[in-house]
Amino acid sequence: MAKKQFKTESKKILDLMVNSIYTHKEIFLRELISNGSDAIDKLYFRSLTDPSVSLQKEDYEIRITADKEQRTLTISDNGCGMNAEELEKNLGTIARSGSLDFKSSLSAEETTDVDIIGQFGVGFYSAFMVSDHVLVISKAYGENDANEWESSGADGYTVRPSEKESAGTTIVLHLKADTDDEKYSDFLEEWKIRELVHKYSDYVRYPIRMLVEHSQKKDDSDEYEKVLEDETLNSMIPIWKKDPSEVTEDEYSAFYTEKFYDYEKPIKVIRQTAEGTTEYIALLFIPSHAPYDYYSKEYEKGLQLYSSGVMIMDKCKDLVPDHFSFVRGLVDSSDLSLNISREMLQEDRQLKIIAKALEKKIASELQKFQTEDREKYESFFKAFGSQLKYGVYADFGMHKDLLQDLLLFPSSFDDKLVTLKEYVSRMPEDQKKIYYATGESVDQIKLLPQVEAMKAHGYEVLFLTEDVDEFALQIMRNYRDKEFANAVENSEDLSTEEEKKALEEENKNCADMLQFMKDTLGDAVTKVQFSNTLGDHAVALTNEGPVSMGMEKVLNRMPGMEESVKAQLILEINSNHEISSKLKELYGTDQVKLSDYTKILYGNARLVSGLTLDNPSSYSDLITSLML
Ligand code: ADP
């Protein structure tokens, strides 16, 4: 029989497996057991609706057999099995779960096997981490013929007819020769197999059986004899159904990394048991990092949904709201029917009740997390904080009460992140609003003249560097009755009534000059005015109207924005700065120069605000001309 070649992508993964430097080679067993369990699930499901499937739940099993002489480890199941075509399709290619779309976008150096195993679980191919030859004999349920698939690794595989009595799949691994670093023969030892099943597959719902040797007293004598007995190695109790006091953090983490294909353990585990009208157990995990596709359209939120221990849906979207879409995990409820359809689920009242309760639980756990382990919470927030902010903004601010206290921002107070509650609690008495300023980076925002002035005045300013930030605050409008205000637009709050009056006076007296300057700048600004809150800085930009400078940038970056949005800019001149008298003098003596100066000052103000210049070369020429 001619050898067939693996598809290119599969070959790559297979190469990685064969030459694996991955230290957790032992996971191959969990992968094969889990495939067996999935195959039994499939048949079990069929039996619920198809009376011709005569197997009872007790009949199902996964069996492990070790043969030290032959150096083989055999894993068999009596699940749905595969026919020749399925063997070819399922084991000849790895095209599922989008893993390869992702992988192909990475270069060879970037792809380590750790990533792949971590993120996608390579399933069946992991057998090649420990074997130099793999034989799969399978018979699909309801068919007469059996077939076998055979491969020694990357050089290809063959599929040919075979013999097998009953339906299911038997996988025979011929283990690699031992090396100094790796003792593959350990996988043939009873203790090792027990250990691995306990560690990774304990909760598998079907018995994992093995013939084990026991010593037994001979009848009528004191001598012992060795007998082989069938033993079930797994407890079959799902981890979420165990008493939480009997499950260690490590066991939860191992369950999570295996089940949800993450290479890092979760940053937080949340367990909830509800009794009463709606009964369920939820085991939820907050990943410690955002999945590579988290902030893209490809990411699918959802929790696994179980009905009395049997999975009925892999990603039930309706169980988690978008603002907590990063939460992974599962819900097991005895109140849901096993063969409920997706459409019916959406309308299911119980499901809605569960979702609502989970949302509350997640929020309160995050709140607790924030107070109990701030450092870890901040690392969580780095990964998923943007999502919480989107959540505040989404649905017209509907979720603000739930989410607002979970937010963190950098601020002018110190280098730490601050919650809104902390901000408000340390506001000086005369401060009425919560101030924020936007920019590309914290360092850039810190240097804004108005921010410096606020800080000098003893008012804290939140630093907003993410696109969503200002939109979220605007939709919240206020926090504990304190309204949010852009520091750049509200620097007059720092002046006393007298100072305000004096400023008004000055603006009035110099109205002609200011108008002249405004005309020089044309449409670029709506106004030029004096300010007395700019500290040592000569000029600054502020704006009026609903669109801030930060929002202008964000909105114009959005795809599909046909007309560009413009913030209405105001050029502010520091009335306490020498430049003021200079400008006033020029207005009487040299208006050509005044107009040049105005353009330069406007350019300076743009740069200080982190904006680009409309015409950098004419700005540069103007400055150079002053040097001559
Ligand atoms: P995954 O399990 O993630 O889909 P695998 O590479 O482990 O990926 O398996 C590929 C496919 O081969 C499975 O989706 C399943 O259809 C089939 N398969 C693997 N093992 C078995 C088995 N023991 N019985 C029936 N089908 C199996």
Side-chain angles (χ1 to χ4, degrees):
M1 178 119 347
K3 249 190 206 147
K4 300 198 179 172
Q5 293 305 307
F6 288 101
K7 293 258 159 65
T8 327
E9 305 84 8
S10 308
K11 192 164 164 359
K12 268 193 235 157
I13 297 228
L14 212 72
D15 279 338
L16 277 172
M17 291 300 112
V18 173
N19 306 310
S20 179
I21 43 144
Y22 189 57
T23 43
H24 286 82
K25 293 191 165 69
E26 61 185 31
I27 58 113
F28 78 93
L29 188 61
R30 143 196 116 185
E31 298 286 316
L32 298 181
I33 289 177
S34 138
N35 279 350
S37 159
D38 290 348
I40 297 178
D41 270 346
K42 280 181 200 154
L43 190 54
Y44 177 62
F45 263 129
R46 239 172 89 182
S47 74
L48 296 176
T49 51
D50 179 354
S52 74
V53 181
S54 55
L55 285 159
Q56 298 301 310
K57 189 139 199 240
E58 316 71 78
D59 301 332
Y60 294 110
E61 69 163 19
I62 294 164
R63 183 164 285 280
I64 301 180
T65 318
D67 182 333
K68 288 187 183 162
E69 264 157 46
Q70 300 290 326
R71 217 182 152 74
T72 57
L73 185 67
T74 302
I75 296 107
S76 51
D77 65 75
N78 52 358
C80 62
M82 287 175 275
N83 59 27
E85 200 185 315
E86 284 163 341
L87 277 170
E88 174 100 16
K89 189 177 84 196
N90 295 337
L91 307 185
T93 53
I94 304 193
R96 292 166 308 281
S97 55
S99 58
L100 283 154
D101 297 342
F102 164 62
K103 220 188 70 61
S104 55
S105 66
L106 296 178
S107 68
E109 297 82 63
E110 283 173 305
T111 355
T112 66
D113 54 350
V114 182
D115 284 341
I116 299 171
I117 293 174
Q119 307 218 6
F120 310 108
V122 285
F124 172 74
Y125 284 180
S126 62
F128 287 96
M129 291 199 289
V130 298
S131 336
D132 48 28
H133 182 259
V134 177
L135 172 68
V136 181
I137 310 167
S138 197
K139 186 172 179 182
Y141 189 87
E143 298 195 17
N144 295 325
D145 303 323
N147 292 282
E148 64 186 42
W149 180 101
E150 186 185 19
S151 171
S152 299
D155 63 338
Y157 63 91
T158 49
V159 177
R160 62 168 80 86
S162 181
E163 296 289 321
K164 190 172 185 310
E165 214 168 282
S166 52
T169 302
T170 296
I171 299 175
V172 185
L173 308 178
H174 187 271
L175 296 183
K176 289 184 185 177
D178 290 357
T179 65
D180 291 343
D181 300 330
E182 205 77 47
K183 230 177 134 218
Y184 297 100
S185 51
D186 275 354
F187 296 127
L188 299 170
E189 300 292 342
E190 186 192 311
W191 61 267
K192 186 70 182 175
I193 296 170
R194 271 181 195 283
E195 178 192 301
L196 295 181
V197 169
H198 177 73
K199 187 162 164 193
Y200 296 115
S201 311
D202 189 59
Y203 62 90
V204 168
R205 277 187 312 284
Y206 307 100
I208 301 167
R209 297 208 176 99
M210 182 166 70
L211 274 180
V212 295
E213 236 178 37
H214 284 291
S215 333
Q216 185 178 295
K217 221 172 169 188
K218 276 188 182 167
D219 293 342
D220 312 324
S221 117
D222 280 347
E223 277 177 46
Y224 281 84
E225 63 176 353
K226 298 227 179 264
V227 288
L228 283 176
E229 261 178 44
D230 226 3
E231 193 177 318
T232 298
L233 306 180
N234 54 331
S235 77
M236 290 187 272
I237 302 174
I239 192 164
W240 60 93
K241 288 211 173 158
K242 289 186 183 165
D243 186 337
S245 64
E246 280 168 21
V247 186
T248 64
E249 279 297 305
D250 276 355
E251 281 168 331
Y252 277 135
S253 296
F255 175 78
Y256 165 77
T257 49
E258 166 202 342
K259 189 118 179 158
F260 297 101
Y261 304 135
D262 198 347
Y263 51 89
E264 258 185 278
K265 55 185 194 181
I267 199 162
K268 181 124 198 84
V269 180
I270 300 172
R271 195 176 176 286
Q272 189 183 34
T273 316
E275 275 154 11
T277 43
T278 304
E279 294 193 357
Y280 67 91
I281 298 174
L283 179 59
L284 310 178
F285 301 93
I286 297 175
S288 47
H289 63 119
Y292 76 93
D293 61 351
Y294 185 63
Y295 289 104
S296 79
K297 281 201 297 289
E298 276 70 47
Y299 180 80
E300 279 182 79
K301 65 165 184 168
L303 301 178
Q304 291 188 335
L305 186 59
Y306 285 76
S307 165
S308 307
V310 180
M311 188 163 83
I312 52 176
M313 200 190 285
D314 189 31
K315 277 197 174 145
C316 182
K317 287 212 260 315
D318 302 319
L319 278 172
V320 268
D322 282 343
H323 41 269
F324 295 145
S325 61
F326 46 83
V327 175
R328 316 297 305 273
L330 57 92
V331 172
D332 190 349
S333 172
S334 47
D335 292 339
L336 297 165
S337 139
L338 245 190
N339 28 25
I340 186 166
S341 74
R342 262 159 214 265
E343 293 70 39
M344 273 161 67
L345 257 180
Q346 267 183 357
E347 293 308 313
D348 194 273
R349 209 176 64 86
Q350 301 285 7
L351 200 75
K352 287 194 175 133
I353 295 174
I354 299 176
K356 205 76 220 139
L358 289 181
E359 182 186 28
K360 257 202 186 141
K361 174 75 178 171
I362 296 167
S364 77
E365 286 288 326
L366 287 175
Q367 202 66 65
K368 223 163 73 192
F369 189 25
Q370 189 193 76
T371 24
E372 285 171 4
D373 192 344
R374 182 63 173 255
E375 202 179 314
K376 251 182 156 178
Y377 181 82
E378 289 188 9
S379 122
F380 150 77
F381 195 81
K382 276 206 185 88
F384 300 112
S386 306
Q387 190 63 17
L388 298 179
K389 295 182 209 163
Y390 282 116
V392 167
Y393 178 66
D395 303 329
F396 307 102
M398 211 174 103
H399 317 290
K400 124 184 184 178
D401 289 342
L402 185 85
L403 301 174
Q404 59 189 6
D405 285 316
L406 298 175
L407 304 184
L408 297 176
F409 299 96
S411 90
S412 59
F413 187 79
D414 57 19
D415 289 339
K416 301 198 183 95
L417 296 174
V418 57
T419 64
L420 294 174
K421 199 168 167 189
E422 287 156 358
Y423 180 105
V424 168
S425 72
R426 63 190 181 210
M427 271 167 74
E429 221 162 278
D430 67 326
Q431 186 185 338
K432 301 286 178 269
K433 305 173 187 164
I434 300 175
Y435 293 103
Y436 65 81
T438 63
E440 296 296 323
S441 70
V442 165
D443 287 337
Q444 186 234 318
I445 304 173
K446 263 187 200 163
L447 297 175
L448 290 172
Q450 295 95 334
V451 171
E452 281 188 1
M454 289 265 170
K455 191 174 174 192
H457 196 81
Y459 289 0
E460 183 173 357
V461 181
L462 299 176
F463 296 160
L464 311 187
T465 55
E466 280 195 88
D467 284 1
V468 62
D469 287 340
E470 194 175 11
F471 292 88
L473 294 194
Q474 289 225 336
I475 215 140
M476 285 167 76
R477 300 178 75 159
N478 54 43
Y479 174 82
R480 304 206 171 177
D481 297 333
K482 305 274 187 287
E483 96 183 66
F484 291 107
N486 193 324
V488 169
E489 294 167 32
N490 289 274
S491 58
E492 67 190 30
D493 293 356
L494 302 178
S495 311
T496 61
E497 286 308 312
E498 269 161 45
E499 285 167 333
K500 276 185 204 160
K501 232 181 234 148
L503 189 67
E504 212 173 293
E505 200 66 11
E506 176 146 32
N507 275 322
K508 217 190 279 165
N509 292 342
C510 300
D512 290 348
M513 177 192 84
L514 295 170
Q515 186 59 42
F516 173 86
M517 292 173 77
K518 144 78 189 127
D519 293 342
T520 304
L521 297 172
D523 285 344
V525 296
T526 52
K527 226 193 268 175
V528 178
Q529 67 189 25
F530 284 112
S531 162
N532 52 12
T533 49
L534 296 181
D536 298 337
H537 299 277
V539 287
L541 282 182
T542 177
N543 63 276
E544 56 186 358
V547 182
S548 74
M549 284 178 265
M551 289 167 116
E552 172 187 310
K553 270 199 236 167
V554 177
L555 290 171
N556 289 332
R557 259 203 305 262
M558 281 186 193
M561 282 298 291
E562 276 167 18
E563 270 178 54
S564 69
V565 177
K566 265 197 140 0
Q568 299 179 344
L569 300 183
I570 299 172
L571 176 64
E572 290 195 322
I573 318 282
N574 186 346
S575 62
N576 303 323
H577 195 283
E578 268 182 83
I579 193 72
S580 280
S581 8
K582 183 75 192 177
L583 295 174
K584 287 177 199 164
E585 179 197 318
L586 286 178
Y587 186 58
T589 57
D590 188 347
Q591 297 203 343
V592 176
K593 208 168 198 175
L594 175 61
S595 124
D596 283 351
Y597 278 23
T598 303
K599 288 177 196 157
I600 293 173
L601 287 172
Y602 171 67
N604 291 354
R606 283 189 72 87
L607 292 175
V608 170
S609 294
L611 302 175
T612 52
L613 298 173
D614 299 332
N615 190 340
S617 78
S618 83
Y619 171 79
S620 153
D621 289 347
L622 271 175
I623 293 186
T624 314
S625 70
L626 291 182
M627 299 175 181
L628 302 175

